[in-house]
Amino acid sequence: MRSTRPRFLRSGLVSALTGLTALGALLFAAPGAQAADTPLRDLAAAKGKLIGSAVNPAKLTGTYGDIAGREFNTVTPDNAMKWESVEPSRGTYNWGPADQVVAFAAAHGQQVRGHTLVWHSQNPGWLANGSWTPAQLSTILQDHIAAEAGRYKGRIAAWDVVNEPFNEDGTYRSSIWYNGLGQDYIANALTWARAADPSAELYINDYNVEGVNAKSTALYNLVRSLKQRGVPIDGVGLQAHLILGQVPATLQQNIQRFADLGVDVAITELDVRMQLPSTSAKLTQQAADYKAVADACVAVARCVGVTVWGFTDSDSWVPDVFSGYGAATPYDEAFAPKPAYHAIAGSLGGTTTPPDPGTGCTAAYSVVNQWNSGFTGQVRISCAGAALSSWKATWTFGAGQTLTQAWNADCTQSGAAVTCTNASYNGTVPDGGSVTFGFNASWNGSNPVPVVTLGRTP
Ligand code: G2I
C-alpha cells in the first residue's frame, strides 16, 4: 500500500509533547501568561493525519508565514505550480514562486502537495490558443509533466496530477486535453507523472465530488477502471468548496467507498463560504461544518488529511468569485482564529469546542503539561461576532481528576463538576478576542479531555 503517512518529517507526537512541556514550564513560571493552543499539525500528526493549507508564496513572511509554518504539516501552492505560472511561454520556465513554497515546506518540516499538472484552466495563452495535432498535444503534455514533476522529484508527497476532469452529470469535461486526446489523457498523464517522480502519490482531484452523486460516481468508476488497467493512481482529492450548512450527508460514506477501491482520499481545498456579513450564528454553523468534514476524514483510515484553501479570510478566492460571499476560512482577516479553527482542533482531539449559539463564543480546553500525578490545563474562550461578559465555563471531569489550583478564573469543584467564573479583571471577552485561564489538577489512570460548556453568570 502506498501511503503518505510514513513520511512525516518530524514526529508529531514527540514534538507535541516537547511543545507542551515547554508551555507548561512557561505557565509555572508565569501563571498569568497566555499560552498558545496546541498547533493543529501536532494534533493531526498524533492521529496520523495531515492538516494543510493552500499558500501564496508572496505572503510567506510575518504573521502569515508564522501561522503557515506553525499550524500545518502540509502546504499546497495556490497558483504557483499551475501551468500558466511555471511555463508562461513555451519552453521558458518560471520556477521561482514554486521553489519558494518547496523551500518553505522543507524549512518547516512540511509535506508539499503539488497542484496541478493537467487542468482545463489557468493554462498559458500559447497553449490554450494554439492549434495542435493530437501528437503535438501529447508531446507538450508529456514534456510539461516530465519537466515539472521531474524538477521536484522526491520533494512532492502527492501530486494533483489531473484536476477537475468531470462535468456535474459525470460526463467528461470538454477541455483542450479531452477534446484533443480523448479520455486516455488521464491515464497517460498519471503514467508520465509516475515516470517523472516515482515516490509521489498520484491523485485525481475534483470539486462537487464530496457526497455520493453522479459526478463522484463517475470519478469512482474511473478510478476503479484505472486500477483494473494497472494505471498508477494512488488517491482521489475531494476539494470541498462548501456552502454554509451544506456538508453532504454522504461525505463519510463517499470517502469510504473510494478507500475500499484501494486508494487514499484527501480533502484538498476545504472552505465554507457564507453570505456576508458573518454573524455569530453563521460562524457557529461554519464551525460545525468544518468539524463534520474533519470528523469524516478522521473516521476513515485511508483519508490522509484535510487541506484548507487558504487559512485566512484575507487570502481566500471566495469574495472574488462569489459576490457577497466570504469569511470562508478558519482565521479571520486579522489572523484571529475563528470558531472553525477550534472545531478542526476539536475534531483532531486536542481541544473541545461545543458550538454555543447562546454566546457565539467557543471554549477550547487543552492539557498543556502532564506529569505522573498532575497536569496543567488551559481553557481559551474566543468570541467572534459578539462579545461575552460575566462568563462561566463548566465541565465534568470524566476520570476522577481533581482541581488543586486555578488562575485567571475562580474555579470550584463539586464531585466531578467544575465551575469556573471570570476573575474581576477579565469578565469581558471582546468580539474578535479571547480570554485564557489555567488550572492545575491531579489525575490517575487516564486524563480524558472534557467538553466545556459556556454560559453567563446571573
Ligand atoms: O477556484 C478555486 C480553486 C478550485 N480548484 C482548483 C484550484 O486551483 C482553484 O484555486 C483558485 C485560486 O485559489 C485562485 O487564486 O484558482 C483560481 C483560478 O481558477 C485562482 O484565481 C486566479 C484569478 O482568477 C486570477 O485573476 C489571478 O491572476 O488567480 C490568479 C493568480 O493570482
Side-chain angles (χ1 to χ4, degrees), residues 191-212:
T191 302
W192 294 329
R194 175 68 92 236
D197 185 356
S199 68
E201 308 286 331
L202 306 181
Y203 278 67
I204 302 173
N205 187 50
D206 215 327
Y207 62 88
N208 288 351
V209 292
E210 294 75 32
V212 174

Side-chain angles (χ1 to χ4, degrees), residues 124-135:
W126 66 264
L127 171 61
N129 304 327
S131 99
W132 312 104
T133 66

Side-chain angles (χ1 to χ4, degrees), residues 364-382:
Y365 175 111
S366 48
V367 175
V368 296
N369 190 23
Q370 182 168 303
W371 56 98
N372 53 0
S373 61
F375 70 100
T376 299
Q378 172 190 282
V379 175
R380 171 170 292 186
I381 303 170
S382 307

Side-chain angles (χ1 to χ4, degrees), residues 56 78-79 82 84-85 115-116 119 121-122 163-164 205 207 239 241 269 309 316-317 320-321:
N56 180 338
D78 59 356
N79 291 300
K82 292 173 179 175
E84 74 173 4
S85 303
H115 176 86
T116 173
W119 195 20
S121 178
Q122 283 183 287
N163 199 34
E164 304 175 358
N205 187 50
Y207 62 88
Q239 292 185 6
H241 294 292
E269 304 184 13
W309 204 245
S316 167
W317 68 297
D320 293 340
V321 173

Side-chain angles (χ1 to χ4, degrees), residues 214-227:
K215 193 174 185 180
S216 67
T217 298
L219 177 59
Y220 177 87
N221 290 334
L222 170 63
V223 170
R224 188 175 53 190
S225 118
L226 292 170
K227 295 276 292 181

